[in-house]
Amino acid sequence: MTALQKDRGPGSPVAAGPDAPPDAAPPVRTPRGRGTRRYWWFTPWLYLLAPLVLLVTFTYLPIADMLGYSFTDWDGISPTHENVGAENYTDLFTRPELFKVFLVSGVYLVASFVQIAAALYFATVLSFKARFRNLFKGILFFPYLINGVAIGFVFLYFFQPGGTLDSLLQVVGLHGHHLWLGDPDLVNKSLAGVSVWRYTGLNMVLFLGAIQSIPPHLYEAAALDGANSWQRFRHIIAPSIKPIISLSVILAISGSLAVFEIPYVMTGGANGSETFVIQTVKLAFKFDKVGLASASAVVLLVLILIVTWIQRRLVPEERVELS
Amino acid sequence: MTTTATPQTRSPRRTPAPRAALAGAAKYLSLVLAAGVVVVPLVVILLTSLKTGQEVGTGGPLTLPHDWFNLDNYVNAFQQGNMLQAFVNTTIILVVSTAGTVLIGSMTAYAIDRFEFRFKKLVVGLFLVATLVPGVTTQVATFQIVNDLGAFNTRWAPILLYLGTDIVSIYVFLQFIRSIPVSLDEAARLDGANSFTIYRRIILPMLKPAIATVVIVKGITVYNDFYIPFLYMPSSELGTISTSLFRFKGPFGAHWETISAGTVLVILPTLIVFLALQRFIYSGFSAGATK
């Protein structure tokens, strides 16, 4: 939100206000549509036709279809399918091998809190005077822009037995090869580590934007009161950027439920690294269990909606309402 | 963004100097350490891409390549990995879907912000609720729809999906269009302009900063996307950057020098774009993510 406001620097539409006729209303918002009613009733629909068709076809229709499929035993190919009631749902929650993907999400969830903490730390450090500020900011953010498959390969090599990580550990005197991706106890932690590597920079940039919109005089007042940097963080920065921290937490939770790319590229879901989405994709496209996969996707969707709903309840948004 | 006034650290005078120095050292140590964590895995891949197969087999990952200008692996990756085809496919999809996203996003924002009409609340609500639905959750059913449309295994599948599921850019445009004074529209209307002329001559040009944001965010997202091309374009002639690179896993198996070269080839354009457009990229992604 703050970042958007910042985009509007000089040359932004607001600044262009004086170009308007002198007798026009001041650049403050006038109520919608008053005095501009010279169009047919269908004019707005001409603009909305394509967007709405796409929206319905690729967002709402799939949800409706998916709900329908989730109560059937459809395999995705045969023209007929049986209604099986809630069987797919009971399968999902009672068959341990289907349910265990949630435990994997737990590992990613823990990692995402590490990631948010690291991002907060670096955002705080980099928002004050520091040498090479922009260089560090750039380096930490760059992983977020890298292609996921490329990241997968980079870390496949990194975690290989005798690979980069093992060699680095050897340099500091920690010998022994670890099966970073082969050991079911380690694999998800290694993969979650890759997520931290990839997303910390994004969170940092979001936090940085928010921190920079804090009025500087607050820091000056705090300095006069003799606040140290922890107190400054605790009493000025943290409360000011609370909305964006809560947004990050939500994104972290829904993100941990929807992990797909990195584990799929790196391990294909082997050794217990299968996530919810990998499982769903496999059920639907490999084992032709569209019914079960749909039920699984519905569960994921509902979980993410619940999480988002809780966030909206806990942290009232300051966002301007639409329309 | 970087030019905005940054809060300065005013260290209170009574802080003892050695403590401040220690804190400063710890701060830089943490920054250098973090930068190392980011850079080392990438540098190792770069080193590996310059080594010969034999060097990779015998030396450790941290050894330096014998010949720093050994580009054989790149030639190999580019030709055998069908990277040219991949870059062409990705470019086509990227250009069409980015242009489409700008068009659709700005039209939607224009219609919603500048007109009063029946069911407006419903339309706004539909777009609003759609932001809550993550794309990955609906793919099972979306797949059937794409299939029914006959778009499966054509470039239309990703293009349609990128166009149809990008609600975030509609938001970016909506936020921005509200700051354009309605008086401009009214002035043009008095001069006899119809709504399309106003959209094309006034709104679109004024939306330039928002368009830049959307193009950057969308461009990087499409360039990096793996899920959609992987599911919807299995045929190898339709490989994009992501799926073609993913296919390296088979034929090149343990040939890490070739895989590394392919990986560097894919990362390099991103790095160039990032270095050239750094400022816009930060603000673009924060605008996109907070919506």
Side-chain angles (χ1 to χ4, degrees):
Chain A
M1 301 145 233
T2 43
L4 251 190
Q5 287 159 4
K6 281 211 180 100
D7 281 344
R8 300 183 186 136
S12 75
V14 181
D19 289 344
D23 59 331
V28 189
R29 281 335 294 261
T30 46
R32 262 308 70 110
R34 205 161 293 165
T36 53
R37 278 184 187 279
R38 227 192 66 190
Y39 49 81
W40 292 289
W41 66 269
F42 59 80
T43 314
W45 296 103
L46 292 178
Y47 295 94
L48 287 171
L49 187 66
L52 277 177
V53 168
L54 286 167
L55 180 74
V56 170
T57 319
F58 294 109
T59 299
Y60 289 102
L61 204 56
I63 296 177
D65 284 354
M66 206 166 73
L67 273 172
Y69 298 151
S70 73
F71 295 103
T72 69
D73 63 354
W74 195 36
D75 60 5
I77 304 152
S78 75
T80 56
H81 43 78
E82 293 283 314
N83 197 328
V84 294
E87 197 181 283
N88 289 324
Y89 291 95
T90 43
D91 264 10
L92 271 180
F93 286 102
T94 51
R95 276 163 58 184
E97 76 273 18
L98 293 178
F99 196 72
K100 71 168 192 271
V101 289
F102 285 109
L103 301 177
V104 178
S105 298
V107 179
Y108 286 92
L109 189 62
V110 172
S112 57
F113 286 109
V114 173
Q115 164 194 315
I116 290 175
L120 264 177
Y121 169 75
F122 288 115
T124 311
V125 165
L126 290 178
S127 54
F128 297 100
K129 217 175 188 169
R131 252 174 241 267
F132 307 117
R133 241 179 74 193
N134 287 331
L135 178 71
F136 283 122
K137 186 177 158 191
I139 291 177
L140 292 182
F141 180 67
F142 184 62
Y144 178 68
L145 301 178
I146 302 180
N147 186 293
V149 182
I151 293 182
F153 284 161
V154 167
F155 279 93
L156 214 45
Y157 194 59
F158 186 82
F159 285 126
Q160 274 208 326
T164 315
L165 185 55
D166 282 344
S167 308
L168 283 171
L169 289 177
Q170 213 154 20
V171 170
V172 291
L174 293 167
H175 287 266
H177 287 186
H178 301 270
L179 287 170
W180 297 106
L181 300 174
D183 179 346
D185 287 333
L186 273 178
V187 64
N188 287 314
K189 290 167 196 142
S190 308
L191 292 171
V194 180
S195 285
V196 175
W197 184 88
R198 189 180 189 188
Y199 292 111
T200 298
L202 174 69
N203 280 305
M204 181 193 74
V205 164
L206 297 182
F207 294 152
L208 257 173
I211 292 177
Q212 300 211 325
S213 64
I214 300 172
H217 67 82
L218 286 182
Y219 298 111
E220 284 160 24
L224 285 177
D225 291 344
N228 62 27
S229 35
W230 166 249
Q231 287 165 332
R232 192 173 54 196
F233 174 79
R234 172 75 186 73
H235 296 291
I236 301 179
I237 297 180
S240 311
I241 66 171
K242 213 172 134 204
I244 194 101
I245 296 178
S246 96
L247 180 78
S248 294
V249 171
I250 294 315
L251 291 178
I253 298 174
S254 51
S256 337
L257 289 166
V259 175
F260 168 73
E261 204 172 45
I262 295 293
Y264 192 84
V265 170
M266 288 177 67
T267 64
N271 306 323
S273 63
E274 194 162 88
T275 66
F276 205 104
V277 180
I278 295 182
Q279 176 179 278
T280 308
V281 167
K282 279 191 177 166
L283 284 175
F285 303 111
K286 206 166 159 189
F287 303 121
D288 294 332
K289 294 193 172 190
V290 170
L292 188 57
S294 298
S296 158
V298 170
V299 170
L300 176 60
L301 180 59
V302 169
L303 282 176
I304 291 180
L305 289 178
I306 291 174
V307 168
T308 318
W309 180 76
I310 292 175
Q311 186 250 352
R312 304 248 149 140
R313 290 302 300 267
L314 289 182
V315 190
E317 293 206 43
E318 301 161 17
R319 185 192 296 170
V320 208
E321 277 308 306
L322 282 165
S323 81
Chain B
M1 238 193 158
T2 43
T3 52
T4 46
T6 41
Q8 302 273 321
T9 12
R10 296 269 162 90
S11 52
R13 265 173 221 107
R14 50 201 136 125
T15 311
R19 235 191 102 199
L22 202 69
K27 179 174 82 175
Y28 286 109
L29 190 70
S30 66
L31 282 171
V32 170
L33 208 71
V37 169
V38 169
V39 169
V40 167
L42 297 173
V43 168
V44 169
I45 285 293
L46 181 67
L47 293 181
T48 310
S49 74
L50 297 169
K51 293 177 185 174
T52 62
Q54 205 191 359
E55 275 178 277
V56 173
T58 52
L62 301 179
T63 55
L64 299 179
H66 180 67
D67 173 11
W68 283 89
F69 295 97
N70 169 31
L71 298 179
D72 292 352
N73 301 320
Y74 286 90
V75 177
N76 214 349
F78 199 77
Q79 287 174 345
Q80 291 183 33
N82 284 329
M83 290 307 265
L84 183 64
Q85 180 82 62
F87 274 104
V88 170
N89 286 333
T90 303
T91 309
I92 295 174
I93 293 169
L94 193 135
V95 169
V96 178
S97 41
T98 313
T101 302
V102 168
L103 215 66
I104 285 179
S106 56
M107 286 197 316
T108 313
Y110 177 60
I112 291 178
D113 194 65
R114 293 298 207 245
F115 291 96
E116 283 303 329
F117 53 91
R118 267 156 69 97
F119 306 121
K120 180 163 150 174
K121 281 234 159 72
L122 176 73
V123 170
V124 172
L126 281 178
F127 282 109
L128 217 145
V129 172
T131 49
L132 305 178
V133 180
V136 285
T137 59
T138 51
Q139 293 307 327
V140 180
T142 310
F143 186 86
Q144 311 299 336
I145 292 173
V146 170
N147 209 3
D148 291 344
L149 290 172
F152 177 69
N153 223 349
T154 70
R155 291 195 194 96
W156 285 109
I159 290 175
L160 282 172
L161 288 170
Y162 293 142
L163 287 183
T165 53
D166 190 353
I167 321 287
V168 170
S169 56
I170 294 179
Y171 274 82
V172 172
F173 281 121
L174 250 176
Q175 293 284 339
F176 204 89
I177 214 167
R178 294 161 151 227
S179 65
I180 302 177
V182 192
S183 49
L184 283 183
D185 301 26
E186 285 163 357
R189 208 176 281 284
L190 287 178
D191 289 342
N194 62 23
S195 78
F196 184 70
T197 317
I198 293 173
Y199 166 72
R200 207 174 62 84
R201 290 284 182 77
I202 294 176
I203 301 294
L204 265 191
M206 300 217 78
L207 278 179
K208 262 183 202 150
I211 293 177
T213 299
V214 168
V215 167
I216 289 172
V217 174
K218 190 78 187 172
I220 292 176
T221 312
V222 171
Y223 181 84
N224 288 338
D225 189 35
F226 170 67
Y227 196 79
I228 287 176
F230 175 71
L231 280 185
Y232 293 94
M233 296 195 303
S235 125
S236 67
E237 309 91 77
L238 290 173
T240 63
I241 295 291
S242 293
T243 49
S244 299
L245 185 64
F246 184 65
R247 289 196 188 104
F248 273 49
K249 241 187 155 176
F252 301 116
H255 286 280
W256 272 103
E257 66 283 2
T258 317
I259 296 185
S260 303
T263 305
V264 174
L265 273 178
V266 167
I267 298 178
L268 214 57
T270 315
L271 183 62
I272 294 169
V273 170
F274 177 56
L275 292 178
L277 302 174
Q278 228 181 31
R279 239 155 49 84
F280 306 102
I281 288 182
Y282 292 133
S283 49
F285 272 97
S286 28
T290 51
K291 286 286 94 59

